[in-house]
Amino acid sequence: MRLVIAKCSVDYAGRLSAHLPVATRLLLVKADGSVLVHSDSLSYKPLNWMSPPCTLAQVDPEQAQLDAGVTEIWKVTQAKTADMLVISIHEIMLDSTHDLGIDPGLQKDGVESDLQKLLAEQIELLGDGYHLVRREHMTAIGPVDILAKDASGASVAVEIKRRGDIDGVEQLTRYLELMNRDPHLAPVVGVFAAQEIKPQARMLAQDRGIRCLLLDYDAMRGMDDSHSRLF
């Protein structure tokens, strides 16, 4: 990746036209060919950019441009549309190139599989006397996240979501309908567990006799002590 901090103006020509007057900006030229123009604002969003496939050519400025203080010009052309991004550079403060290597990709923490594993290990969060039967209990339409037994020995099906909405309640309802047809499991009650449950989902769950359980992911993985917090 090439990082250039430069005083420059930027013009975009194509299906629409845009102009950025002269100012100090960060120019990123990535290994995939994309070119992005950033300012010290707008968070992660570039002011303008060109997506690959595109080519970058450095050309010499004409005399009128030299007289205006332009020292070099970048022309970035989009291969498919012929759109063009023209960066007129007046002064370069920093120009560095770095090999970032192969990116392993984003590894999300707190996904449903993590919540499922933690709840299976801490099944007592469902209530006193609960014990785990198995994770990923298979039904004819897919696996329910956790099958457990309560203190009385009754079967409990638990569906886990990061954000619980109506679709999740509907999914658990379908599981319960099938599981209650199995004489070895019936009667089966449902628990809808999530880090956040939308009011509409909570109302639907209550209407169908499904208990809702909020999961505190940080507390479950030992990263948050609820007794030391004021709120």
Side-chain angles (χ1 to χ4, degrees), residues 97-153:
T97 302
H98 308 271
D99 184 1
L100 302 187
I102 299 174
D103 191 279
L106 178 65
Q107 298 178 348
K108 294 184 178 180
D109 192 21
V111 296
E112 290 171 14
S113 59
D114 295 327
L115 292 168
Q116 182 193 117
K117 179 177 182 294
L118 287 170
L119 185 56
E121 294 170 351
Q122 303 171 43
I123 201 68
E124 67 278 1
L125 292 176
L126 293 176
D128 294 335
Y130 279 73
H131 68 273
L132 176 69
V133 176
R134 68 176 60 89
R135 294 169 56 187
E136 300 286 340
H137 175 77
M138 187 57 65
T139 74
I141 58 173
V144 66
D145 290 323
I146 287 179
L147 176 63
K149 295 279 188 178
D150 65 14
S152 67

Side-chain angles (χ1 to χ4, degrees), residues 14-26:
R15 288 166 292 182
L16 55 84
S17 298
H19 173 71
L20 295 171
V22 176
T24 302
R25 300 184 177 93
L26 169 64

Side-chain angles (χ1 to χ4, degrees), residues 8-198:
C8 62
S9 64
V10 182
D11 292 278
Y12 192 99
R15 288 166 292 182
L16 55 84
S17 298
H19 173 71
L20 295 171
V22 176
T24 302
R25 300 184 177 93
L26 169 64
L27 310 176
L28 295 180
V29 182
K30 294 188 176 182
D32 64 2
S34 57
V35 178
L36 301 93
V37 181
H38 283 271
S39 67
D40 202 11
S41 63
L42 298 180
S43 185
Y44 62 90
K45 295 181 179 179
L47 295 168
N48 216 324
W49 69 93
M50 186 68 78
S51 301
C54 59
T55 57
L56 188 158
Q58 184 174 326
V59 300
D60 295 328
E62 297 177 357
Q63 187 59 50
Q65 294 169 318
L66 288 169
D67 294 341
V70 177
T71 58
E72 61 182 86
I73 295 175
W74 293 4
K75 288 188 176 181
V76 188
T77 307
Q78 225 290 331
K80 293 182 178 179
T81 65
D83 287 10
M84 183 175 291
L85 184 70
V86 179
I87 303 173
S88 301
I89 296 176
H90 291 245
E91 179 185 0
I92 292 179
M93 294 84 163
L94 172 70
D95 189 344
S96 62
T97 302
H98 308 271
D99 184 1
L100 302 187
I102 299 174
D103 191 279
L106 178 65
Q107 298 178 348
K108 294 184 178 180
D109 192 21
V111 296
E112 290 171 14
S113 59
D114 295 327
L115 292 168
Q116 182 193 117
K117 179 177 182 294
L118 287 170
L119 185 56
E121 294 170 351
Q122 303 171 43
I123 201 68
E124 67 278 1
L125 292 176
L126 293 176
D128 294 335
Y130 279 73
H131 68 273
L132 176 69
V133 176
R134 68 176 60 89
R135 294 169 56 187
E136 300 286 340
H137 175 77
M138 187 57 65
T139 74
I141 58 173
V144 66
D145 290 323
I146 287 179
L147 176 63
K149 295 279 188 178
D150 65 14
S152 67
S155 299
V156 181
V158 185
E159 183 62 25
I160 300 170
K161 302 292 183 186
R162 291 186 65 244
R163 292 180 176 84
D165 56 19
I166 287 177
D167 288 344
V169 178
E170 294 284 7
Q171 181 181 0
L172 179 54
T173 300
R174 293 191 293 271
Y175 289 148
L176 290 171
E177 182 180 352
L178 286 172
M179 295 172 74
N180 273 302
R181 297 178 190 175
D182 186 342
H184 299 290
L185 293 176
V188 186
V189 296
V191 175
F192 188 53
Q195 290 179 272
E196 174 189 343
I197 300 177
K198 294 183 178 180

